[in-house]
Amino acid sequence: MAELPTKKDILDWIAAHPEASSKRDIAKAFHIKGAARIDLKRMLRELEDEGHLAKKKRSYRDPEKLPPVGVLTVVGPDVDGDLMARPMEWHGEGPEPKVLMILRSADGALGAGDRILAKLREVKGEEHHYEGRLIRKIVTNPKRILGIYRKSAEGGRILPIDKGADREWTVAKDATAGAKDGELVEAEQAGPKGRMGLPKARVVERLGDPSKPKAVSLIAIHQHGIPDAFDDATIAEADTMKPAGLKGREDLRDVPLITIDPADARDHDDACYAHPDDDPKNEGGHVIWVAIADVAHYVRPGSALDREARERGNSTYFPDRVVPMLPDRLSGDLCSLHEGVPRACIAVKMRVDAHGELVGWEFVRGLMRSAASLNYEEVQQGMDGAPNDKVGPLMEEVIKPLYAAYHALVDARNRRQPLDLDLPERQIVLAEDGTVQSVQFKDRLDAHRLIEEFMVLANVCAGKELVKKRQPLLFRVHEEPSPEKLDALRETAQASGLSLAKGQVLKTEHLNRLLAQAAGTDQAELINLSTLRSMTQAYYSPEHIGHFGLALGTYAHFTSPIRRYSDLIVHRALITANGWGDDGLTEPDIEALEQTAVHISETERRSMTAERDTTDRYLASYLSERVGNEFGGRISGIARFGAFVRLDETGADGLIPIRSLGQEYFHFDREAQELMGADTGRVIGIGQRVLVRLAEAVPVTGGLLLDLLEIEGAAVKPGASAKRGRPTRRKEGRAKAKTSKSRKVARRRRN
């Protein structure tokens, strides 16, 4: 009888033969017969229980890898125009892998939402993890179309509003739903897509005048499928809620906790207070209280409110409106820490030493009463010597002790060295009628940083408390950059005359040194953007991985349960861990933690994309009256179809189409993120200063088209490549050889 393989042998064989991984295949490979098959079955079950294998039907595979053939959902083109897809099923514990679709000329067109069967091949060293080749399409595109309806004698057409979409849809006379010419409509595909002519659609909802300012965020809400209306059961449940009393809670109503928020904030979910620590063992130390609205008291597991909150995952913020995670009865009332009103809270009392290092903490479930609702600007003015009537009486007892504790935390932060990017935050300021009044860059005050530091510390304590008590929870996870992205950042730094050390365990302090080198130079914005691009995206996970960007080993979101479902999960975990009631984390909650983490990470990305699209549309509307004007900017991205430019004045991103870059053919170097002229060898890359003319601004899509006038101070002749067309293969071959030589010369010059 053949000797049984080790578990490592089995795993290695399955990794090498993913296409043949049934129990029969494994037994055959190791010559296992008869009764030994029972032992093999036991080993496979143990590997499955240990998480090393995932069983699907009769085959086994590594749960951290996709099978050689799988079902995918097409996501759509990325910024480079490449078609991306995601797996329908993902059982791994890490981030969901990205799939780049490699289409053949015979493959039919694919669009976002298409479900396909594809052959998959794992790749290394790319931003995507797999390459996929189409086997067949499973269903037609289930996604709806958002666009402008144009009436015609035969019915009408829908012009899509997506920036990258250029295909129109025809609408039959009996499928218009009464839509008027020029209205914004939502439609769905009507019948199968044909090989010839335009696809057909039927209008399912009329959304009104797209030119109205209020339509901007409405477009994003519908386009990204963000739920913006609560069902009757959820509203009814919220309306029955009553304010929580003192029973079972610690009385914090005499603690002078205050809220500090933006001036236009409607809800206040966090309050703070600080005072010197009177413990002689902690001389010079501080006691910091952070109290957070007790949302878990009202939103119980399995309730209508809970199901709705989980579906949304988070609140979504637009310049003109908020799509809340919870109904206003909670978010704007019972869970908002209004001034002078008793409110239920979960609070953490934190002790730090004179240098800002955490000494200890204690969580309590309490009832508080905010001493004041203040905004950032008036608090900062008070510390700058000009307190108003509201802030003045609080200066000695409340405001100054807060700042003293904050300065201690800054001391600890400077030693910890979290990533310190300098990227100003843009703010769209709207007039009363909803039109864009101005575009500003927000001032960063110490009052903002104070609240941020307190919230970070409270989140750390929440994570540490639950880890200490062995309570399942959702961590906020941020992994370090991949080696490939670090190499790209290192090349960018070297090309700018800067350095990023190699051959050591990466820490945020190393990146901060690079940022400090660039500070105050022409390359500062480039290095900050390139560092940001090298970062992975933070996400939620039940696994204790740590937060690279904040340089923290333990971190969990606790401070915003009104607007983030992750924080509600952490609150429930604290309730269970401390035995505060029956509204804590349930077994179904715990069993679904992994699925919840994936879902709310996706809803967070959905909201970020919708918010960015809305900002783009507002900026296009704001700039539409300045078409023909010249603007300074810096190249912020490179694609095969052109270069993206971030304008200095507004921070808006516009596209210089490839045809406008100059009178020659340009080669796209994905790895170097450069475009290079085939004739002149001119290199166009991220970070270069440019002067551009605004050629087109389309508010309904948010698109800006630019003409290139100057690059690094040198004039550029108007593009004529569109007329000349693509070079012949013979010319292209010579051009590529010339490009290789030109690239070496260009890089020597930049170094």
Side-chain angles (χ1 to χ4, degrees):
M1 183 176 69
E3 184 179 349
L4 280 173
T6 65
K7 289 182 179 179
K8 183 179 183 303
D9 291 336
I10 294 174
L11 292 175
D12 289 344
W13 190 88
I14 290 174
H17 305 84
E19 73 288 346
S21 53
S22 68
K23 187 175 70 175
R24 178 181 294 177
D25 294 327
I26 298 168
K28 185 177 180 181
F30 291 100
H31 308 290
I32 298 172
K33 300 178 181 179
R37 286 175 173 266
I38 298 174
D39 293 324
L40 175 63
K41 185 177 181 180
R42 173 185 52 77
M43 293 177 71
L44 291 172
R45 188 182 298 115
E46 288 175 0
L47 286 169
E48 186 180 356
D49 292 340
E50 292 165 6
H52 297 301
L53 290 179
K55 186 175 182 181
K56 186 175 181 183
K57 295 184 179 180
R58 296 186 178 181
S59 64
Y60 292 86
R61 64 179 177 83
D62 185 343
E64 293 299 323
K65 293 186 177 182
L66 294 178
V69 174
V71 179
L72 309 176
T73 298
V74 177
V75 177
D78 61 8
V79 294
D80 295 328
D82 293 326
L83 192 65
M84 307 301 294
R86 55 182 292 269
M88 285 290 293
E89 285 188 65
W90 171 239
H91 301 285
E93 296 182 356
E96 184 179 80
K98 299 177 182 177
V99 181
L100 171 67
M101 292 305 301
I102 308 296
L103 297 181
R104 298 171 291 254
S105 58
D107 292 337
L110 294 177
D114 282 337
R115 190 172 298 177
I116 60 173
L117 186 67
K119 188 173 182 180
L120 300 171
R121 183 178 72 86
E122 189 175 10
V123 295
K124 303 289 186 182
E126 300 285 348
E127 290 189 4
H128 55 276
H129 308 93
Y130 290 84
E131 290 180 351
R133 292 192 178 273
L134 179 67
I135 297 175
R136 62 182 173 86
K137 191 183 295 186
I138 297 175
V139 294
T140 54
N141 189 350
K143 285 203 170 187
R144 291 187 171 184
I145 309 127
L146 198 66
I148 308 299
Y149 175 72
R150 291 299 179 190
K151 193 172 182 179
S152 68
E154 297 79 19
R157 291 191 179 189
I158 295 174
L159 283 61
I161 60 170
D162 290 323
K163 261 190 254 188
D166 55 3
R167 172 180 280 192
E168 298 179 6
W169 296 71
T170 62
V171 182
K173 282 185 178 181
D174 59 353
T176 65
K180 297 179 180 178
D181 187 65
E183 272 191 327
L184 180 66
V185 298
E186 190 174 25
E188 64 183 11
Q189 185 177 321
K193 293 181 182 177
R195 288 185 173 273
M196 303 295 291
L198 298 176
K200 298 178 181 179
R202 69 171 63 87
V203 176
V204 295
E205 188 173 358
R206 296 165 57 190
L207 302 174
D209 186 352
S211 65
K212 288 184 178 179
K214 296 291 185 182
V216 175
S217 55
L218 189 64
I219 290 172
I221 289 167
H222 278 75
Q223 190 175 18
H224 295 283
I226 297 173
D228 64 333
F230 293 103
D231 60 35
D232 292 342
T234 304
I235 294 296
E237 194 173 279
D239 287 345
T240 62
M241 297 295 173
K242 304 295 181 186
L246 186 59
K247 184 178 179 180
R249 297 178 179 275
E250 186 165 332
D251 193 347
L252 304 176
R253 287 175 292 182
D254 291 333
V255 179
L257 290 151
I258 64 170
T259 61
I260 306 176
D261 294 289
D264 58 353
R266 292 184 62 249
D267 53 67
H268 314 274
D269 56 0
D270 58 81
C272 57
Y273 170 63
H275 62 82
D277 194 345
D278 56 10
D279 187 342
K281 295 180 181 178
N282 191 29
E283 185 177 353
H286 305 267
V287 175
I288 302 171
W289 282 89
V290 169
I292 307 298
D294 189 356
V295 176
H297 173 79
Y298 302 99
V299 183
R300 302 295 180 104
S303 64
L305 282 165
D306 182 47
R307 289 193 298 271
E308 186 74 23
R310 187 182 185 278
E311 181 186 358
R312 296 177 181 225
N314 49 264
S315 298
T316 306
Y317 293 83
F318 300 106
D320 66 330
R321 73 182 76 197
V322 176
V323 179
M325 187 179 79
L326 298 170
D328 189 61
R329 170 63 174 156
L330 298 183
S331 61
D333 186 8
L334 294 178
C335 296
S336 190
L337 309 178
H338 294 304
E339 181 178 331
V341 181
R343 284 289 180 255
C345 67
I346 294 179
V348 56
K349 180 183 180 181
M350 303 172 288
R351 295 174 58 239
V352 299
D353 63 20
H355 304 291
E357 299 296 341
L358 187 63
V359 174
W361 68 86
E362 177 190 1
F363 280 88
V364 298
R365 200 173 197 184
L367 189 71
M368 62 160 285
R369 180 167 46 217
S370 173
S373 292
L374 307 177
N375 64 59
Y376 293 114
E377 288 73 22
E378 62 185 346
V379 170
Q380 190 63 53
Q381 288 167 6
M383 281 302 294
D384 291 342
N388 60 21
D389 294 341
K390 193 171 185 178
V391 172
L394 299 169
M395 285 300 300
E396 296 301 321
E397 183 185 2
V398 179
I399 306 297
K400 288 184 178 179
L402 283 174
Y403 273 76
Y406 159 65
H407 289 307
L409 294 183
V410 170
D411 191 12
R413 177 189 174 90
N414 290 338
R415 287 193 301 278
R416 194 177 83 242
Q417 285 280 307
L419 189 61
D420 190 19
L421 291 169
D422 181 19
L423 293 169
E425 186 179 354
R426 186 173 49 194
Q427 182 180 21
I428 306 291
V429 180
L430 302 180
E432 289 186 7
D433 63 356
T435 57
V436 181
Q437 182 173 303
S438 63
V439 180
Q440 301 176 357
F441 291 93
K442 291 184 179 179
D443 292 330
R444 291 276 296 150
L445 306 173
D446 277 350
H448 292 102
R449 298 184 180 96
L450 180 152
I451 294 299
E452 287 175 5
E453 289 299 322
F454 285 6
M455 297 305 113
V456 167
L457 188 62
N459 289 337
V460 168
C461 289
K464 287 180 176 290
E465 173 86 350
L466 295 171
V467 169
K468 182 177 72 173
K469 297 192 173 182
R470 300 179 182 275
Q471 177 65 45
L473 72 150
L474 286 181
F475 294 94
R476 181 64 167 176
V477 168
H478 185 226
E479 300 180 61
E480 65 182 49
S482 67
E484 295 78 20
K485 288 193 173 184
L486 274 179
D487 287 342
L489 176 60
R490 194 171 284 112
E491 286 185 10
T492 301
Q494 290 172 349
S496 303
L498 308 173
S499 64
L500 175 62
K502 193 174 183 179
Q504 57 186 336
V505 176
L506 180 71
K507 296 182 179 179
T508 46
E509 62 184 86
H510 301 140
L511 296 172
N512 285 340
R513 285 179 201 148
L514 172 63
L515 295 168
Q517 292 175 51
T521 71
D522 289 342
Q523 305 304 318
E525 185 178 1
L526 166 64
I527 297 301
N528 274 270
L529 282 172
S530 298
T531 303
L532 178 64
R533 286 198 176 97
S534 73
M535 293 296 109
T536 60
Q537 190 164 16
Y539 60 95
Y540 295 104
S541 172
E543 298 301 318
H544 190 188
I545 298 173
H547 198 294
F548 174 79
L550 291 174
L552 292 168
T554 303
Y555 195 66
H557 275 164
F558 157 75
T559 54
S560 295
I562 287 178
R563 62 184 180 90
R564 292 188 304 228
Y565 193 78
S566 58
D567 303 51
L568 178 56
I569 290 290
V570 170
H571 276 231
R572 288 175 181 165
L574 288 167
I575 292 167
T576 298
N578 289 285
W580 289 334
D582 61 358
D583 49 353
L585 205 60
T586 64
E587 281 302 317
D589 277 339
I590 294 171
E591 291 172 4
L593 277 181
E594 188 172 340
Q595 296 95 318
T596 299
V598 172
H599 172 70
I600 63 177
S601 296
E602 289 177 347
T603 61
E604 179 186 47
R605 289 192 288 270
R606 176 181 69 183
S607 292
M608 290 171 61
T609 304
E611 290 165 4
R612 184 177 64 244
D613 288 352
T614 299
T615 297
D616 288 346
R617 289 187 174 98
Y618 272 120
L619 288 171
S621 175
Y622 180 64
L623 292 170
S624 61
E625 297 180 0
R626 301 172 67 182
V627 170
N629 288 13
E630 296 179 3
F631 298 89
R634 193 180 292 275
I635 293 178
S636 59
I638 296 291
R640 64 166 55 89
F641 49 81
F644 292 96
V645 173
R646 178 158 295 174
L647 304 181
D648 296 335
E649 181 182 332
T650 61
D653 287 303
L655 172 68
I656 306 174
I658 196 81
R659 64 178 182 274
S660 301
L661 288 176
Q663 297 181 356
E664 58 183 320
Y665 179 75
F666 280 84
H667 294 286
F668 172 53
D669 186 332
R670 179 192 295 275
E671 184 178 344
Q673 281 292 285
E674 293 175 345
L675 290 166
M676 179 167 291
D679 298 331
T680 64
R682 176 191 290 143
V683 175
I684 297 175
I686 293 174
Q688 292 176 318
R689 294 289 311 171
V690 294
L691 180 68
V692 295
R693 180 187 296 110
L694 180 60
E696 185 179 348
V698 187
V700 76
T701 66
L704 300 178
L705 289 182
L706 309 170
D707 291 331
L708 181 62
L709 303 178
E710 294 179 3
I711 185 164
E712 297 290 1
V716 176
K717 293 181 180 180
S721 59
K723 294 180 180 178
R724 294 171 57 197
R726 186 179 176 91
T728 63
R729 288 191 178 273
R730 183 178 297 177
K731 289 181 179 179
E732 188 174 330
R734 289 200 300 266
K736 284 185 178 179
K738 186 174 182 179
T739 295
S740 178
K741 181 179 179 181
S742 300
R743 180 179 289 118
K744 293 176 183 177
V745 172
R747 283 181 178 164
R748 282 201 298 270
R749 288 174 180 167
R750 284 188 295 166
N751 288 335

